[in-house]
Amino acid sequence: MDLTATTADLASAAADVARLLPTRVHDPVLAGLVLRAAGHGVELAGSDREHAVRLTRAATVHVDGAVVVPAKPLADTLRGLDDPQVRLVVEGSRLAVRTSAARFALPLLDLASHPDVPPHPPAVGSAPARALTSALVPVSGAASKDDALPVFTGVRVHGAGDRLELIATDRYRMAFASLPWVPTGALDALAPAVVLAEASRQPDRDAEVVVHADADRIALSWAGGSVSTALLAAPFPDDRARKLLEAVIDSTVLVEADVLAGAVRRAVPYAGPHGSVTLQVDDGELRVRGSDPQSGESEESVKATIDGNRVTKTFQARYLADALRAFSGRRVELRIQDGLRSTVLTSQAGEDGVELTYLVVPLRTVS
Amino acid sequence: MDLTATTADLASAAADVARLLPTRVHDPVLAGLVLRAAGHGVELAGSDREHAVRLTRAATVHVDGAVVVPAKPLADTLRGLDDPQVRLVVEGSRLAVRTSAARFALPLLDLASHPDVPPHPPAVGSAPARALTSALVPVSGAASKDDALPVFTGVRVHGAGDRLELIATDRYRMAFASLPWVPTGALDALAPAVVLAEASRQPDRDAEVVVHADADRIALSWAGGSVSTALLAAPFPDDRARKLLEAVIDSTVLVEADVLAGAVRRAVPYAGPHGSVTLQVDDGELRVRGSDPQSGESEESVKATIDGNRVTKTFQARYLADALRAFSGRRVELRIQDGLRSTVLTSQAGEDGVELTYLVVPLRTVS
């Protein structure tokens, strides 16, 4: 194998592959990056059997070939180069990364023992990358990071006619998004939130992303790349999740998401040992309050359009901040429900057709 | 106390005070920030007996007074405000931080039990802030972070005629700087590196900094503020340190510091389990090499002016990177000595009159 390519192109692709691979593995080949040069391009791929990624980049191929080398040092080396062009050439038992003044020689791992990228399951539909990212990023953020309960680390991906629905919850909050969808088959899967969010960031914003799925795996593919992952084998509590969306509204508050987020952020030093802030619905305003035995108390007024009762709810500040960030740049509607029922955040669908609903469970307070 | 001031002014001063105070203390008043309003200004001060800081900022004082409040929530609150002006007013047992839409109420701590900022020791000389910072930042970076050996966490500060000398070492490297100095007394002290570096960053670049010292404390003061700290009670190995500066040069290499730093950074993925890189002096170039059983090997050539023997030395990559960063933007001279004697890095004095010498001890290698 011998090729010359634009350093920045290869560096970003190698970083994307390396990020999806595990760093600590028993078998070093699973942390390997496969390079396949042929025609006018080079393919960068990785697979640890669970996740797999394959990206194609333009290259001037002098000699076709395929090798596998450790992914992290390759990605680190390409990222650090100042030269605009880089040459990758097999020299004996090494892949040499060459620039005008430097040579970095990575050991070749055993290509035959690399699991390779599995074939994609059948295509089940497609969506614009822009809409998919803007829906997946906030939804996957609502999933749990705790692997002890796998079901809550997943995003439920469900094709419903011409809409793709995404749901995730960590039990204290839930995010639900729907976006335009061109179905070509049935889709109902629970996939790891972290991998989906990472994958949705890789295609160009203007690309069309095809979703492939069967009973075991899901893959996203676009012109120039794909990411696939094994599904989570856990039943998502679908009925309970949907029931939460049926709101019994006590009070509706319309407010600029960023303004409220600023007030919540300023209340954080006063959020106390439980990190909680209180929202009090008042005439034409929402009062954001904090109270802490050491720091003292805070109160800030945020202009709002109110419809309904004057109610007071206490939330985990960081959940409220996460929810508001998902609506950044927009007016958000808070539908406050009675008692300990979730507060529902929504806004009008954006230009990309993404509808987002975010639920945050209030805290039990002593009053 | 009641005053109005520019939010950004107060926020930066409160952050500077909070940064020098401990966050975990038995007595909360030691993590307190003292505010003293009088005339046309407000003083922000903190002291945990060991370190002390006092900064003055312009303010419109409505009512004179002095209070002490928890430093961190005050600093965090001021930093988060969007309003350009802020009012600080005592309301009952609280200090209220007020903006157009918000009120943050911090509890008043007991001013009588605050240790207050101790009076400065006598002035012993002065130096321009710009030169002091550009000398103290790299020198303090060469000190150890390990409190178990206090002598190596300090910077030796020594007045030598019309030059101020600064030395620090963690035993594996040593930095020595001298800068223009107007003496008014004798100065020979060992002060905590972290505090000195932090203090030297606070005055305006154009300010003149007065150094105050006696047998127990050192203080830096300038128009608008001061920082003082207890000295380290340990004898600095002065003779040994100075002896290291007497170089027996084997080879001299003149090279652009940033170019060599780039090559060292690119060798890091190949620096192996000990994080080491090798410099090989060759004709008109310096070769930077790395070797690691997993990642492979690297070699990069850097153009250099060589005088002396072709020698090879291996260094801890991060020590070499730290040393080169101190000479960023300049040509640096590497004086390579025989055997395991330190390599000495120097460059011509800058416009600020700072002369810097950095020693890095090479690693023992099997050859």
Side-chain angles (χ1 to χ4, degrees):
Chain A
M1 197 190 80
D2 185 358
L3 65 90
T4 305
T6 304
T7 308
D9 276 1
L10 285 196
S12 70
D16 285 345
V17 172
R19 207 162 32 238
L20 273 167
L21 292 176
T23 46
R24 293 184 176 280
V25 282
H26 287 294
D27 183 358
V29 84
L30 296 182
L33 189 150
V34 179
L35 289 154
R36 273 199 183 82
H40 297 288
V42 58
E43 185 183 290
L44 296 92
S47 171
D48 69 344
R49 292 198 179 89
E50 206 168 325
H51 315 309
V53 52
R54 174 153 47 192
L55 303 170
T56 309
R57 293 291 181 268
T60 304
V61 178
H62 313 297
V63 179
D64 288 6
V67 294
V68 55
V69 294
K72 196 175 174 323
L74 177 65
D76 289 348
T77 297
L78 291 170
R79 191 189 54 197
L81 296 179
D82 293 332
D83 293 54
Q85 294 283 311
V86 62
R87 186 170 168 202
L88 270 56
V89 52
V90 173
E91 296 175 356
S93 63
R94 292 284 187 265
L95 175 74
V97 178
R98 284 184 169 276
T99 64
S100 53
R103 175 182 183 270
F104 305 90
L106 295 143
L108 300 182
L109 305 175
D110 180 23
L111 186 60
S113 65
H114 187 272
D116 212 349
V117 173
H120 293 325
V124 293
S126 67
R130 192 181 302 268
L132 195 61
T133 311
S134 83
L136 258 177
V137 169
V139 171
S140 60
S144 172
K145 273 83 196 162
D146 180 3
D147 287 332
L149 290 167
V151 59
F152 297 114
T153 66
V155 173
R156 184 169 180 271
V157 186
H158 180 231
D162 62 354
R163 304 289 291 179
L164 180 64
E165 296 179 344
L166 307 168
I167 313 185
T169 179
D170 65 0
R171 290 171 295 160
Y172 307 106
R173 54 187 168 166
M174 184 174 95
F176 173 84
S178 94
L179 64 144
W181 172 244
V182 181
T184 57
L187 172 59
D188 193 351
L190 185 67
V194 174
V195 183
L196 281 190
E198 178 61 39
S200 81
R201 285 194 193 93
Q202 297 192 1
D204 285 340
R205 301 280 284 157
D206 296 324
E208 187 72 10
V209 175
V210 177
V211 180
H212 312 249
D214 61 17
D216 300 319
R217 294 185 76 81
I218 188 168
L220 306 185
S221 75
W222 57 93
S226 69
V227 170
S228 72
T229 178
L231 297 179
L232 294 169
F236 191 79
D238 209 45
D239 290 345
R240 281 188 58 193
R242 280 173 193 275
K243 207 159 186 178
L244 287 175
L245 292 170
E246 297 162 10
V248 182
I249 300 163
D250 202 3
S251 192
T252 300
V253 178
L254 199 61
V255 65
E256 291 294 337
D258 295 336
V259 175
L260 182 54
V264 170
R265 191 179 63 238
R266 282 185 286 275
V268 165
Y270 307 88
H274 303 296
S276 62
V277 296
T278 297
L279 300 187
Q280 184 191 337
V281 177
D282 214 326
D283 281 345
E285 64 182 19
L286 197 58
R287 288 173 196 244
V288 183
R289 286 204 181 122
S291 178
D292 174 65
Q294 257 91 53
S295 301
E297 303 83 35
S298 75
E299 180 174 320
E300 181 161 351
S301 296
V302 174
K303 276 186 196 149
T305 308
I306 310 291
D307 182 17
N309 295 323
R310 293 185 174 201
V311 290
T312 299
K313 293 283 159 198
T314 299
F315 300 95
Q316 202 81 50
R318 64 194 174 92
Y319 289 163
L320 200 54
D322 280 357
L324 290 167
R325 192 181 314 117
F327 296 95
S328 182
R330 295 201 261 174
R331 280 177 81 79
V332 63
E333 188 175 291
L334 279 72
R335 296 178 188 154
I336 302 177
Q337 303 192 74
D338 200 29
L340 289 177
R341 294 175 65 105
S342 318
T343 289
V344 181
L345 288 82
T346 58
S347 72
Q348 291 196 315
E351 279 178 27
D352 52 11
V354 175
E355 285 173 13
L356 181 66
T357 304
Y358 211 112
L359 276 69
V360 183
V361 179
L363 294 173
R364 197 179 296 271
T365 51
V366 186
S367 57
Chain B
M1 196 190 81
D2 186 358
L3 65 88
T4 306
T6 304
T7 308
D9 277 1
L10 285 196
S12 70
D16 286 345
V17 173
R19 204 160 38 236
L20 273 167
L21 292 177
T23 46
R24 294 184 176 279
V25 282
H26 287 295
D27 183 358
V29 84
L30 296 181
L33 188 151
V34 178
L35 289 154
R36 274 200 183 81
H40 297 289
V42 57
E43 186 184 290
L44 296 91
S47 172
D48 69 344
R49 293 199 178 89
E50 207 170 323
H51 314 311
V53 53
R54 174 152 47 192
L55 303 170
T56 308
R57 292 293 182 266
T60 304
V61 178
H62 313 297
V63 179
D64 288 6
V67 294
V68 55
V69 295
K72 196 175 174 322
L74 177 65
D76 289 349
T77 298
L78 290 170
R79 192 189 54 198
L81 296 180
D82 293 332
D83 293 54
Q85 294 281 310
V86 62
R87 186 169 167 203
L88 270 57
V89 52
V90 173
E91 295 174 356
S93 64
R94 293 284 188 264
L95 175 74
V97 177
R98 284 184 170 277
T99 64
S100 53
R103 176 182 183 269
F104 305 90
L106 295 142
L108 301 181
L109 305 174
D110 180 22
L111 186 59
S113 66
H114 188 272
D116 211 350
V117 174
H120 293 325
V124 293
S126 68
R130 191 181 304 268
L132 195 61
T133 310
S134 85
L136 258 176
V137 169
V139 171
S140 61
S144 171
K145 272 83 195 162
D146 180 3
D147 287 330
L149 290 168
V151 60
F152 297 114
T153 65
V155 173
R156 184 168 180 273
V157 186
H158 179 231
D162 63 353
R163 304 290 290 177
L164 179 64
E165 296 179 344
L166 306 169
I167 312 185
T169 179
D170 66 358
R171 291 171 296 162
Y172 307 106
R173 55 185 167 168
M174 184 174 95
F176 172 84
S178 93
L179 64 143
W181 172 243
V182 181
T184 57
L187 172 59
D188 194 350
L190 186 67
V194 174
V195 182
L196 281 190
E198 178 60 40
S200 81
R201 284 193 193 96
Q202 298 194 359
D204 285 341
R205 300 281 285 158
D206 296 324
E208 186 73 10
V209 175
V210 177
V211 180
H212 311 250
D214 60 17
D216 300 318
R217 294 186 76 81
I218 188 167
L220 305 184
S221 74
W222 58 92
S226 69
V227 170
S228 72
T229 178
L231 296 179
L232 294 168
F236 191 79
D238 208 47
D239 290 347
R240 281 188 58 194
R242 279 172 195 275
K243 206 159 187 178
L244 288 174
L245 293 170
E246 297 161 10
V248 183
I249 300 162
D250 202 4
S251 192
T252 300
V253 178
L254 198 61
V255 66
E256 291 294 337
D258 295 336
V259 175
L260 181 54
V264 170
R265 192 180 60 239
R266 283 185 285 275
V268 165
Y270 307 87
H274 304 296
S276 63
V277 297
T278 297
L279 300 187
Q280 185 191 339
V281 177
D282 215 326
D283 282 343
E285 64 182 19
L286 196 58
R287 287 173 197 246
V288 182
R289 286 203 181 124
S291 178
D292 174 65
Q294 256 90 53
S295 300
E297 301 84 35
S298 75
E299 180 174 319
E300 181 160 351
S301 297
V302 174
K303 276 185 195 149
T305 308
I306 311 290
D307 181 16
N309 295 324
R310 293 186 173 201
V311 290
T312 299
K313 294 282 160 198
T314 299
F315 300 94
Q316 201 82 51
R318 64 195 173 95
Y319 289 163
L320 200 54
D322 280 357
L324 290 166
R325 192 181 314 118
F327 297 94
S328 182
R330 295 201 259 174
R331 280 177 81 80
V332 64
E333 189 175 291
L334 279 72
R335 296 179 189 153
I336 302 176
Q337 302 191 76
D338 200 29
L340 289 177
R341 295 175 63 103
S342 319
T343 289
V344 180
L345 288 82
T346 56
S347 73
Q348 291 197 314
E351 280 179 26
D352 53 11
V354 176
E355 286 173 12
L356 181 66
T357 304
Y358 211 113
L359 276 69
V360 183
V361 179
L363 294 172
R364 197 180 297 270
T365 51
V366 186
S367 57

